[in-house]
């Protein structure tokens, strides 16, 4: 089976700071990969390279069989088929929740407006926001905003979902409502790469864990092996501090 994401020899620097070092990674259909590690390890940068929100200097990234650096058409195809959920929601504050969700299918996929709005309502139902169709983002809690952001990403029918620390900006009591939505996506077979510090969630939902430190993937193993029998001393040290 061909991987959904194939990364080979990836290197990325910000000036003199070498933030990703010789990254090699395969993600297959229905994988739920959680990337964890200390702050500054390169997790979010790696995620952002996958759809070229960050450019990179060496190596290759293929998503859905397309080399994202080879042609602009490849990158456009990848972005249309990849959903991205950010730490800080990035909703449009001046339009309603349902319009936020429907906007991209209307503009990018040229879906008729009535059809896009109907689908948007179904997705908002799916994430537990059926009472908020006509609300505006400033009227929502952080957890509700993040669930709208997930629905918006799903509106494009992505084959891959990327989550960049989706709960880190939320109050603790709002975290579970977002993680519950992500858990349901995982159970439905969605391929996901998630940067997260939520190790309880990773233990419950992920099938693979990637541990990054100092720009390198120190360990990439099945979930049970990561938690019960980590190979590297650095991983053992990390787990001893957070579990």
């Amino acid at each position: 089976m061909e991987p959904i994401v194939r990364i080979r020899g990836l290197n990325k620097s910000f000036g003199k700071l070498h933030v990703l070092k010789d990254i090699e990674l395969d993600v297959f259909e229905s994988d739920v990969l959680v990337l964890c590690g200390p702050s500054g390890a390169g997790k979010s940068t790696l995620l952002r390279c996958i759809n070229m929100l960050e450019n990179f200097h060496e190596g290759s990234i293929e998503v859905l069989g397309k080399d994202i650096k080879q042609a602009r058409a490849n990158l456009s195809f990848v972005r249309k088929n990849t959903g991205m959920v950010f730490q800080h929601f990035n909703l449009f504050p001046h339009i309603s929740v349902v319009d936020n969700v429907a906007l991209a299918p209307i503009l990018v996929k040229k879906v008729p407006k009535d059809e896009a709005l109907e689908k948007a309502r179904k997705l908002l139902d799916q994430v537990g926001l059926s009472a908020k169709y006509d609300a505006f983002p400033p009227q929502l809690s952080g957890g509700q905003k993040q669930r709208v952001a997930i629905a918006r990403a799903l509106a494009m029918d992505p084959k891959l979902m990327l989550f960049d620390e989706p709960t880190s900006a939320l109050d603790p009591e709002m975290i579970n409502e977002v993680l519950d939505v992500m858990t349901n996506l995982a159970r439905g077979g969605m391929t996901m790469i998630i940067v997260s510090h939520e190790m309880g969630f990773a233990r419950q939902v992920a099938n693979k864990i990637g541990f990054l430190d100092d720009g390198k993937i120190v360990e990439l193993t099945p979930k049970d092996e990561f938690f019960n029998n980590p190979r590297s001393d650095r991983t053992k040290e990390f787990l001893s501090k957070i579990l």
Side-chain angles (χ1 to χ4, degrees), residues 147-167:
R147 285 185 281 156
V148 174
I150 293 171
R152 179 180 60 180
L154 293 173
M156 292 292 285
D157 296 316
K159 295 179 173 62
L160 170 68
M161 286 284 285
L162 307 175
F163 293 86
D164 188 7
E165 299 196 43
T167 60

Side-chain angles (χ1 to χ4, degrees), residues 17-126:
L17 184 62
H18 195 176
V19 294
L20 294 175
K21 303 171 182 175
D22 300 319
I23 300 292
E24 307 269 330
L25 180 65
D26 287 329
V27 179
F28 293 89
E29 187 174 352
S30 298
D31 272 350
V32 179
L33 169 65
V34 170
L35 299 175
C36 63
S39 296
K43 306 180 298 294
S44 292
T45 301
L46 173 56
L47 198 74
R48 291 169 67 87
C49 284
I50 291 172
N51 61 2
M52 286 287 283
L53 291 176
E54 293 286 354
N55 204 344
F56 52 92
H57 305 94
E58 294 178 15
S60 65
I61 299 178
E62 293 180 11
V63 182
L64 300 166
K66 306 286 187 181
D67 186 325
I68 62 173
K69 264 202 164 181
Q70 197 172 61
R72 185 174 292 274
N74 284 0
L75 180 58
S76 177
F77 172 84
V78 167
R79 286 180 172 169
K80 283 181 181 179
N81 288 281
T82 302
M84 180 95 182
V85 178
F86 299 89
Q87 189 174 346
H88 293 293
F89 327 127
N90 293 353
L91 301 176
F92 295 110
H94 60 287
I95 62 175
S96 69
V97 162
V98 72
D99 286 332
N100 261 279
V101 177
L103 188 62
I106 293 170
L107 294 181
V108 178
K109 289 195 167 182
K110 309 304 179 188
V111 175
K113 184 175 181 180
D114 288 348
E115 184 181 328
L117 287 169
E118 181 181 358
K119 182 173 183 179
R121 293 186 191 100
K122 289 179 180 177
L123 287 168
L124 289 167
D125 293 346
Q126 183 180 327

Side-chain angles (χ1 to χ4, degrees), residues 170-226:
L170 302 180
D171 293 333
E173 60 191 11
M174 296 177 184
I175 289 173
N176 282 340
E177 63 189 50
V178 173
L179 295 182
D180 286 346
V181 171
M182 295 169 66
T183 300
N184 287 334
L185 287 177
R187 288 173 179 160
M190 176 64 73
T191 308
M192 301 195 285
I193 306 175
I194 305 162
V195 172
S196 181
H197 297 289
E198 300 289 338
M199 288 295 98
F201 167 76
R203 201 166 206 159
Q204 179 183 351
V205 175
N207 69 317
K208 295 178 182 175
I209 310 285
F211 175 67
L212 277 77
D213 187 45
D214 191 30
K216 301 175 184 176
I217 295 181
V218 176
E219 193 144 356
L220 179 63
T221 61
K223 168 186 62 179
D224 291 341
E225 194 171 328
F226 178 83

